[in-house]
Amino acid sequence: QIRREAAKKNLYVNAFNASKCPECNVRVDYSTQSYCGVCATPLNRECEECKEMTPFGLRHCVHCGK
């Protein structure tokens, strides 16, 4: 199970770096979209610390680093 969780996190990081949806692989803009327009996969989440939107699946917030 740990390996599966790590693979899923890696999938999100790779998708973010490629500007693609981690589920359907369509091109997305993480800076303006909260969900994929094709499959509705969540792309961003609210950071608990700074309340800014940050890409889902990344370990740290891209705004505050927490």
Side-chain angles (χ1 to χ4, degrees), residues 1-64:
Q1 181 172 346
I2 293 172
R3 203 174 272 175
R4 251 185 281 148
E5 289 175 18
K8 185 170 184 169
K9 285 181 183 178
N10 194 36
L11 174 72
Y12 273 94
V13 171
N14 289 340
F16 173 74
N17 288 334
S19 295
K20 300 228 174 164
C21 172
E23 292 297 323
C24 71
N25 215 29
V26 72
R27 192 146 182 82
V28 294
D29 184 351
Y30 282 85
S31 67
T32 61
Q33 292 177 249
S34 294
Y35 295 89
C36 174
V38 174
C39 70
T41 295
L43 302 173
N44 292 302
R45 64 174 174 82
E46 184 180 274
C47 173
E48 293 176 9
E49 186 73 23
C50 71
K51 307 300 183 209
E52 293 288 334
M53 295 304 284
T54 193
F56 187 83
L58 299 184
R59 183 178 299 178
H60 301 284
C61 173
V62 297
H63 300 281
C64 71

